[in-house]
Amino acid sequence: MKEVQHYLKDFQKEKNWDIPESEFLETKMAILNNYMLLTTEVSEVAEEFRGIFTKTKQLQQSENLTEQEAFLRAKELHKENIGKELADCIAYIMKFANYFEIDMEESFYNKMEEIQRRIYIERR
Ligand SMILES: [Mg+2]
């Protein structure tokens, strides 16, 4: 995760896509704009999922497959695009992490530990 975060920091800086620090209004607009772009990418993931379900129905009829067989084939057909959309989401998430100087790997494991403890307490 550290490698991905560093890669994206350099990549976004090189493309001039990082969030500027110069003045409040410019920074605020960049944060809002990038937040909108992140939510757009999240909806693109949903579009791919929707595409799987549509394709499942189509394959079921055209190829005379069971629903499960058609679903597995549709899933395979959408796999590459889902990967691309998830990558887009990660790029925006890392952009925010880099702007706020958050070590995402550390933050991720801390949060998972917090969830783990919460689950443990709930089960007691
Ligand atoms: Mg996309």
Side-chain angles (χ1 to χ4, degrees), residues 51-67:
I52 292 176
F53 303 133
T54 305
K55 194 77 192 163
T56 299
K57 274 271 172 266
Q58 286 170 355
L59 287 171
Q60 217 183 331
Q61 288 162 1
S62 66
E63 310 282 315
N64 201 27
L65 300 172
T66 66
E67 194 173 53

Side-chain angles (χ1 to χ4, degrees), residues 41 44 85 88:
E41 296 305 337
E44 286 174 7
E85 300 309 341
D88 283 337

